[in-house]
Each structure stands twice: as structure tokens, then as C-alpha cells.
């Protein structure tokens, strides 16, 4: 039985969020190697990878408020600049993963994404399904998106995953970030969260550091909790991709000890 897994490489992990337009190529290379090793050891893994935009898309989007809407000519220029910045990082990630032996097929979300007031309502899935059927690893990324209400907006990797979950039915959603997991008020990792824990947790969830136009950790937890509540059996897992080996071990073993699992 193949296991289908969505994996997000967070923007704060693959870029330096404190410096505009600065990638972390050595980290991207290591993560690519970790994915290669996991696929070699578990040929039954069906991966869909998405990556964040970190200091690329967020830096470009901030002065224009692209997430909130795109109306004026200046804002549409911003839309184009954000798209270009997101694609530039994606080019780098694509090349590094291919070089490392992971057969990624980059698919540009903004080519087909359609939102309504910030909610993603359509994304072409045929190319993703075909890529999977041919043994490739579809590679998506946080990108701009046209929006029926706002003109334009931004679709984060989480938005893409939330939209794709009912269509592609992953067993797990992995979010590799720069932090160890969801931290409690003493700074310790909360190993398991169920949707019922959320009201108590909300008070201690902190936002991500740096410029982030698509929500920080609190937002991730809320979205993943809503998903696991809706799709029984689905597990979301937030962990640090900073420690070498963690990504491979989480990919290989759904019970690996690391970070925070969100499940019913
Ligand atoms: C943000 O995507 C996309 C843009 C700002 C263009 P994500 O929300 O997936 O990226 P990170 O992980 O926050 O950087």
C-alpha cells in the first residue's frame, strides 16, 4: 500500500527570513538529500512537496499588501513582482532537488489557482496526478493567485494543501519548519495536539518571527486541526527541519519522535 504524504518545506527553513531574497542553499541541498534517502528506502512513498517563500515572496509582498488584495496598477505590478520572487526561489529548489536525485516536477500554482476572498477554490490537479502516476514528485510553492473578490491575493503552501487534501487524500501532512514544533508557555514542545485542545492552546501560540504575510504557527495549527477533524485518519506533523536526519526519519517512520503531531 503506497503512503501518500504532503511535505511542506517552510520558508523560514529554506531562506534566511532576516535578509531579503536570501536562500539557504546548503539547507535546501541537505533536505533534498534527506528526501532522496527516504524515497530510496521506501519506494512506496508518494510525495507531493510544497515550499514556502520566506524572504522571497514575503519581502516582495509586504510593501504592496498583496495578500489583502490587488487593485491599482502599482499593486498589480507588485503582484507580478511577488510571482517572480516566488518563482525564483522555486527555480533554485527545483534545480537542487533534481541534482540531488529527487525527480521533482515544478508546477506553478498561480497558473491555475483561483481564490474567492482569500480562500482557494480551484487549482488544476491533473498535472499533479499525472506527475504522481509517472513516479515524479510534484513540487508546488506558495504563490500569488487571482481572486474573484480581491483581484489578487497570495495562496500559501498550507492553502494549497488544504485544498488538495480531499482531492488527493494524503495520509500525512508534514510541515518542516525552523522551530522544534508547537511550543507551550514554558517553551517546550507539545508532542500531540487534538482539535479539542485548541481553545486552551490558543493563548500560548505565538506568531512566526520576521515578515510573514500568510500567518505564523498559530495559523498553521488552526488549519491543520480543522483538517484532521474533517478527515479522520489524517495526521499533521510539525517538526524542525534544522536537525540533520529528522526529515528522513519522519518520512520513513510515521511514529518517529519529533515535533508536534496534530490528530484526532
Ligand atoms: C507564501 O507562501 C507565498 C508568498 C508570500 C508569495 P507560504 O506561506 O507557503 O510561505 P512561508 O512558509 O510562510 O514562507
Amino acid at each position: 500500500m503506497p503512503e501518500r504524504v504532503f511535505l511542506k518545506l517552510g520558508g523560514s527553513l529554506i531562506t534566511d527570513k532576516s535578509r531579503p531574497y536570501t536562500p539557504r542553499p546548503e539547507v535546501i541541498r541537505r533536505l533534498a538529500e534527506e528526501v532522496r534517502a527516504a524515497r530510496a528506502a521506501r519506494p512506496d512513498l508518494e510525495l507531493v512537496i510544497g515550499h514556502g517563500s520566506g524572504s522571497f515572496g514575503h519581502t516582495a509582498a509586504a510593501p504592496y499588501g498583496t495578500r489583502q488584495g490587488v487593485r491599482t496598477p502599482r499593486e498589480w505590478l507588485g503582484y507580478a513582482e511577488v510571482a517572480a520572487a516566488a518563482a525564483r526561489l522555486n527555480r533554485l529548489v527545483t534545480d537542487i532537488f533534481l541534482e540531488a536525485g529527487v525527480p521533482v516536477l515544478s508546477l506553478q500554482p498561480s497558473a491555475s489557482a483561483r481564490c474567492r476572498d482569500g480562500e482557494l477554490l480551484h487549482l488544476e490537479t491533473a498535472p499533479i496526478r499525472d506527475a504522481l502516476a509517472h513516479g515524479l514528485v510534484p513540487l508546488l510553492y506558495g504563490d500569488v493567485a487571482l481572486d474573484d473578490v480581491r483581484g489578487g491575493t497570495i495562496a500559501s503552501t498550507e492553502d494549497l494543501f488544504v485544498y488538495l487534501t480531499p482531492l488527493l487524500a494524503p495520509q500525512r501532512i508534514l510541515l518542516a519548519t525552523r522551530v522544534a514544533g508547537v511550543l507551550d508557555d514554558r517553551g517546550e514542545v507539545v508532542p500531540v495536539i487534538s482539535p479539542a485542545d485548541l481553545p486552551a492552546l490558543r493563548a500560548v501560540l505565538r506568531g512566526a518571527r520576521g515578515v510573514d504575510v500568510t500567518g505564523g504557527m498559530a495559523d498553521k495549527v488552526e488549519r491543520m486541526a480543522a483538517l484532521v477533524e474533517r478527515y479522520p485518519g489524517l495526521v499533521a506533523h510539525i517538526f524542525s527541519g534544522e536537525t540533520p536526519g529528522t526529515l528522513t526519519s519522519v518520512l520513513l517512520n510515521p511514529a518517529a519522535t519529533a515535533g508536534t503531531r496534530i490528530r484526532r
Side-chain angles (χ1 to χ4, degrees), residues 8 10-11 51-54 57-58 82 86 142-143 154 156-158 212-214:
K8 176 181 180 181
H51 68 78
S53 215
H58 288 290
V82 175
D143 199 356
I154 284 174
S156 71
T157 310
E158 282 84 355
D212 189 333
V213 296
T214 50

Side-chain angles (χ1 to χ4, degrees), residues 1-124:
M1 262 290 275
E3 189 195 17
R4 189 168 279 178
V5 175
F6 289 179
L7 165 65
K8 176 181 180 181
L9 308 173
S12 57
L13 181 61
I14 62 169
T15 73
D16 181 345
K17 266 191 126 172
S18 65
R19 286 166 214 217
Y21 306 106
T22 308
R24 297 176 80 204
E26 65 300 330
V27 173
I28 301 169
R29 210 161 285 127
R30 175 178 55 75
L31 294 168
E33 171 51 33
E34 293 205 34
V35 171
R36 188 209 58 77
R39 287 181 83 250
R42 269 197 61 189
D44 66 309
L45 263 185
E46 258 187 10
L47 277 179
V48 175
I49 301 181
H51 68 78
S53 215
S55 70
F56 284 71
H58 288 290
T59 303
Y64 299 103
T66 308
R67 176 82 162 181
Q68 282 67 48
V70 183
R71 283 158 199 106
T72 65
R74 179 184 165 274
E75 287 168 355
W76 280 111
L77 176 63
Y79 183 89
E81 284 174 4
V82 175
R88 224 176 297 137
L89 178 61
N90 176 253
R91 179 83 265 145
L92 191 70
V93 174
T94 303
D95 288 345
I96 291 176
F97 269 68
L98 280 172
E99 249 170 58
V102 182
V104 290
L105 179 69
S106 165
L107 297 170
Q108 179 194 339
S110 58
S112 68
R114 194 89 215 178
C115 293
R116 170 169 290 270
D117 209 8
E119 188 194 347
L120 184 61
L121 292 188
H122 174 78
L123 185 77
E124 210 55 70

Side-chain angles (χ1 to χ4, degrees), residues 161-224:
F161 283 1
V162 166
Y163 175 80
L164 291 172
T165 291
L167 301 170
L168 297 177
Q171 278 99 319
R172 289 188 288 158
I173 299 181
L174 310 180
L175 305 180
T177 69
R178 212 179 171 169
V179 292
V182 179
L183 305 181
D184 65 17
D185 45 7
R186 290 165 312 177
E188 278 167 30
V189 176
V190 183
V192 180
I193 294 174
S194 89
D197 302 331
L198 266 191
L201 253 180
R202 274 194 190 107
V204 298
L205 287 175
R206 305 169 185 136
R209 283 172 298 175
V211 188
D212 189 333
V213 296
T214 50
M217 184 60 87
D219 183 61
K220 282 190 213 319
V221 173
E222 296 277 354
R223 315 244 356 237
M224 292 302 124

